[in-house]
Amino acid sequence: MMKWIPVTLALLLSACSSTPQKTYYQLPAMSAPAQQGSAASASRQLWLEHVGVADYLAQNGVVYQTNDVQYVIGQNNLWASPLDQQLQQSLVTNLSNALPGWLVSSQPMSSDQDVLNVTITGFHGRYDGKAIISGEWVLNRQGQMIKRPFSLALTQSEDGYDALVRTLATGWQQEAQTIAAQLGRF
């Protein structure tokens, strides 16, 4: 009878432990006014050549900063597709909507196009309830290089990864609007 107690305890412990469920996140499409016009009527062309993310953001997991020096990369809260791809697709859409008269593409179009590159150094949640978005963009316009840094810290409306991803998406759309406003001046 005593020899079955360890086996019974092992079965009970294994029944209590379960593998945590993995959750996958995609940046939601934010509503924006539809752009009017066609590619033929575009007065300017913008090639969004590359959106790169820092190494710690290039992992599958959603990143959360736990204090001033520690970051956790989610093991069960994962990006549904690579973050750099999501950010690039979203930026093309948002810039297209914000820049009427421009043709914005993730593919090269012609030799006289403007070329935009973006580097993301922060795209994560933080221990104080903020969603952090930071980095810089560089525009090559007819050989002239224009470089601008950006940094946003948005307050999450509620706790959890769902709210974090929605807040990051909102912040990324805001940054796209800022980039579009600055591009419109050049």
Side-chain angles (χ1 to χ4, degrees):
M1 182 72 169
M2 291 295 265
K3 64 182 178 180
W4 292 106
I5 291 176
V7 172
T8 304
L9 285 174
L11 288 174
L12 280 173
L13 288 175
S14 68
C16 292
S17 67
S18 63
T19 304
Q21 181 179 353
K22 293 187 184 306
T23 305
Y24 295 90
Y25 294 94
Q26 187 78 19
L27 292 175
M30 306 303 285
S31 61
Q35 181 175 339
Q36 300 296 320
S38 67
S41 66
S43 62
R44 288 186 59 186
Q45 296 178 347
L46 177 65
W47 172 26
L48 180 56
E49 181 178 32
H50 182 72
V51 174
V53 297
D55 286 346
Y56 79 103
L57 296 170
Q59 310 301 312
N60 291 336
V62 177
V63 176
Y64 183 77
Q65 184 180 357
T66 58
N67 64 35
D68 61 334
V69 296
Q70 291 182 352
Y71 293 79
V72 174
I73 299 171
Q75 299 297 310
N76 297 310
N77 295 289
L78 308 169
W79 292 112
S81 61
L83 181 59
D84 58 343
Q85 290 177 13
Q86 290 188 53
L87 292 169
Q88 183 159 357
Q89 291 165 354
S90 175
L91 189 56
V92 166
T93 299
N94 287 322
L95 289 176
S96 293
N97 289 328
L99 293 167
W102 289 52
L103 176 60
V104 182
S105 176
S106 59
Q107 301 296 317
M109 297 167 283
S110 69
S111 60
D112 64 342
Q113 67 198 357
D114 294 344
V115 180
L116 180 66
N117 285 284
V118 182
T119 302
I120 307 296
T121 56
F123 200 82
H124 60 275
R126 194 169 67 188
Y127 56 91
D128 60 358
K130 302 280 187 188
I132 306 302
I133 301 171
S134 61
E136 67 182 21
W137 56 266
V138 177
L139 177 70
N140 182 344
R141 181 156 198 262
Q142 300 171 346
Q144 179 187 8
M145 303 296 275
I146 301 158
K147 179 178 172 180
R148 298 285 188 270
F150 57 87
S151 181
L152 297 170
L154 287 80
T155 302
Q156 285 185 229
S157 59
E158 55 190 72
D159 291 339
Y161 280 95
D162 289 4
L164 170 60
V165 171
R166 286 186 190 103
T167 305
L168 288 168
T170 298
W172 189 234
Q173 183 181 37
Q174 288 176 13
E175 186 54 38
Q177 296 294 319
T178 301
I179 292 171
Q182 292 179 4
L183 292 178
R185 287 188 253 154
F186 301 123

